[in-house]
């Protein structure tokens, strides 16, 4: 199990990579058009579907398998109380569902679902964050335009 300091360092790395990835999507044309600058993850998922269906290395395959088999839960409110839901996306594009899970990892971290003074399920959190990093980096590097924007 990661120590608290190691897990916090991993979470910080995830935030940095996620922010740069989201910027690279917007800057390389995977955006929702004029107006608010919003990344178009759905269109991007179609560009990386082949990579997700046929990963180019074992590390990526294992990361995909883990996240798809043990996906992050979604915070919901039931009768005024925060609960966790197994809310499963139902898109026919596997990469779309996987990228929904990656964004959910980000949301759970950012909005306090996994850390509120102490880490909830630290071993599971470490695995979800580290596997999500592998997937996110592979997807960004798979497309030349997003890779270039990410590196600039």
């Amino acid at each position: 199990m990661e120590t608290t300091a190691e897990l916090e360092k991993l979470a910080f790395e995830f935030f940095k990579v996620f922010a740069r990835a989201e910027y690279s999507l917007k800057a390389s044309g995977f955006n929702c058009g004029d107006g608010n600058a919003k990344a178009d993850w759905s269109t991007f998922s179609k560009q990386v579907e082949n990579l997700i269906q046929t990963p180019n290395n074992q590390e990526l395959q294992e990361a995909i398998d883990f996240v798809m088999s043990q996906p992050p839960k979604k915070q919901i409110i039931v009768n005024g109380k925060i609960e966790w839901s197994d809310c499963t996306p139902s898109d026919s594009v596997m990469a779309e569902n996987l990228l929904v899970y990656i964004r959910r990892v980000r949301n759970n971290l950012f909005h306090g679902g996994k850390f509120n003074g102490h880490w909830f399920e630290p071993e599971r959190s470490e695995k979800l964050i580290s596997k999500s990093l592998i997937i996110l980096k592979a997807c960004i590097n798979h497309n030349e335009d997003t890779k270039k924007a990410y590196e600039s």
Side-chain angles (χ1 to χ4, degrees), residues 55 58-71 94 98 135:
Q58 187 63 30
E59 181 183 49
L60 179 58
Q61 181 67 64
E62 290 172 4
I64 293 167
D65 291 345
F66 179 82
V67 173
M68 293 303 287
S69 67
Q70 298 183 51
M94 181 179 173
L98 188 61
I135 295 164

Side-chain angles (χ1 to χ4, degrees), residues 1-149:
M1 173 169 62
E2 297 271 328
T3 66
T4 297
E6 291 170 331
L7 194 47
E8 288 177 6
K9 184 178 176 182
L10 182 64
F12 181 69
E13 179 187 359
F14 179 80
F15 279 131
K16 282 178 32 180
V17 170
F18 188 94
R20 287 180 65 195
E22 197 157 60
Y23 166 80
S24 73
L25 264 65
K26 294 182 288 188
S28 62
F30 294 101
N31 59 60
C32 296
D34 292 344
N36 292 334
K38 184 176 177 189
D40 185 350
W41 287 94
S42 183
T43 299
F44 180 67
S45 71
K46 292 168 183 60
Q47 295 291 313
V48 297
E49 176 68 4
N50 186 49
L51 173 68
I52 299 307
Q53 289 290 341
T54 55
N56 54 14
N57 65 64
Q58 187 63 30
E59 181 183 49
L60 179 58
Q61 181 67 64
E62 290 172 4
I64 293 167
D65 291 345
F66 179 82
V67 173
M68 293 303 287
S69 67
Q70 298 183 51
K73 296 182 180 191
K74 183 176 182 176
Q75 267 192 339
I76 60 169
I77 305 293
V78 176
N79 297 322
K81 293 184 180 181
I82 298 174
E83 293 188 12
W84 292 101
S85 170
D86 290 323
C87 185
T88 304
S90 60
D91 199 281
S92 62
V93 177
M94 181 179 173
E96 171 76 17
N97 295 333
L98 188 61
L99 291 174
V100 164
Y101 288 145
I102 302 299
R103 294 192 310 274
R104 191 174 290 167
V105 167
R106 179 253 180 220
N107 290 345
N108 288 345
L109 285 170
F110 189 78
H111 297 293
K114 296 309 266 178
F115 181 81
N116 193 12
H118 68 280
W119 285 94
F120 303 114
E121 299 182 330
E123 290 177 5
R124 176 171 159 74
S125 294
E126 185 274 331
K127 285 183 182 177
L128 281 168
I129 295 167
S130 63
K131 301 301 185 190
S132 294
L133 269 169
I134 292 166
I135 295 164
L136 191 54
K137 289 176 182 178
C139 288
I140 292 300
N141 287 322
H142 185 70
N143 180 283
E144 284 302 316
D145 293 333
T146 55
K147 180 179 179 181
K148 183 178 177 182

